[in-house]
Amino acid sequence: MGDILIKILVCFLAGAGAGIGTGFAGMSAAAVIGPMLITFLGIPAYDAVGIGLISDVLASSVSAYTYKKSGNLDVKNSLPLLVSVLIVTMIGSFVASFLPEQAMSGTMQIALIIIGLRFIIKPVNRTREQLEAVSPKSRLIKAIIGGIFVGFICGFAGAGGGMMLLLVLTSFLGYPMHLAVGTSVFIMAFTALTGGISHFMIGGVPDMLSLVLCVVFTLLWARIAARIANKSNAKTLNRVVGVVMIVTSIVILAVNYL
């Protein structure tokens, strides 16, 4: 009975952190759930990442739906970005197979802390009018280049794809903050689905109780966070995204190295 209660508590905390990160910042749920399940429940790394990816599918989907209802999702213009991310992720995964996994993860977390500080110190204040002023051809080229960058990082480091998407959408493609987060979670739903299916096909079905608990808790908190985010102004959302990035990265570094 005690083991079950511990499992519920760990999955709740992992799901809450992942859901809040997804709903507010478009973060990959697997980046939080994986390290938590590995460290505190002793779940094999491959299974833990698979559970995180499946949790990410539903959390990102419900977040994307919430952002879409508020008019903060750009499906049409994000498709080239989505396709290039999916293709190049496989290339990044191949390159990553030759390098130490923990070293790559630590480098990614430090990068995310720097990006988080950027959103706090210099908030994104772009408008839709500025975005629409960019020519369709230029937007297409930038989307493909940005997708190549994000896909390689996602495949190379195994995490951080959502955060890098947000950086590309805001800094490179010129998206306003709310629209960037909504578009980011839309794309992450597809990347997580691809990764989750691959994990289950190769490694089989993981611990079902942990899977169900993480999916439910992540979905719940992602829904709550997304609703709050859509009601926040851009400056507040920038700060929340920055704080979520920094806190999450510090926690993951502590879990991995301490």
Side-chain angles (χ1 to χ4, degrees):
M1 184 67 179
D3 291 342
I4 294 178
L5 290 177
I6 291 175
K7 182 174 288 188
I8 292 174
L9 176 61
V10 171
C11 290
F12 174 78
L13 293 175
I20 291 171
T22 300
F24 271 119
M27 185 183 69
S28 170
V32 177
I33 292 176
M36 291 282 288
L37 298 187
I38 294 167
T39 302
F40 298 110
L41 295 182
I43 292 177
Y46 199 84
D47 289 352
V49 173
I51 291 172
L53 288 169
I54 293 302
S55 301
D56 199 6
V57 173
L58 294 178
S60 294
S61 297
V62 73
S63 297
Y65 174 72
T66 303
Y67 277 90
K68 184 178 185 300
K69 284 174 59 179
S70 298
N72 292 315
L73 175 57
D74 183 10
V75 175
K76 180 182 177 181
N77 293 309
S78 67
L79 292 180
L81 182 62
L82 169 61
V83 172
S84 55
V85 167
L86 291 176
I87 293 173
V88 181
T89 294
M90 294 184 287
I91 300 174
S93 297
F94 175 74
V95 175
S97 65
F98 298 100
L99 297 172
E101 181 178 348
Q102 194 173 33
M104 291 183 293
S105 177
T107 301
M108 175 57 64
Q109 302 314 320
I110 293 172
L112 293 181
I113 291 175
I114 295 173
I115 295 172
L117 288 171
R118 182 265 185 197
F119 282 119
I120 294 174
I121 297 171
K122 189 179 180 182
V124 175
N125 56 7
R126 301 276 297 184
T127 64
R128 290 176 183 266
E129 288 74 19
Q130 289 174 305
L131 175 64
E132 292 169 358
V134 179
S135 69
K137 181 179 179 180
S138 175
R139 191 181 302 173
L140 174 62
I141 294 173
K142 286 185 175 182
I144 294 174
I145 294 174
I148 292 172
F149 170 74
V150 173
F152 185 80
I153 292 296
C154 193
F156 183 77
M163 300 300 199
M164 289 300 168
L165 265 175
L166 192 60
L167 178 65
V168 166
L169 286 167
T170 54
S171 300
F172 188 54
L173 294 177
Y175 275 59
M177 195 62 181
H178 287 83
L179 187 62
V181 177
T183 304
S184 175
V185 291
F186 169 73
I187 294 174
M188 287 307 299
F190 289 94
T191 59
L193 178 62
T194 302
I197 291 174
S198 299
H199 270 70
F200 285 178
M201 288 180 64
I202 295 172
V205 180
D207 178 63
M208 285 304 298
L209 179 57
S210 298
L211 174 62
V212 172
L213 288 172
C214 285
V215 167
V216 171
F217 290 138
T218 305
L219 183 64
L220 172 65
W221 284 100
R223 172 66 170 166
I224 294 172
R227 292 187 67 178
I228 294 174
N230 276 282
K231 295 178 181 178
S232 304
N233 60 50
K235 189 173 182 179
T236 299
L237 185 57
N238 270 271
R239 289 175 175 171
V240 172
V241 167
V243 170
V244 168
M245 283 187 176
I246 293 169
V247 172
T248 302
S249 297
I250 291 174
V251 170
I252 292 175
L253 283 172
V255 168
N256 286 339
Y257 295 97
L258 300 180

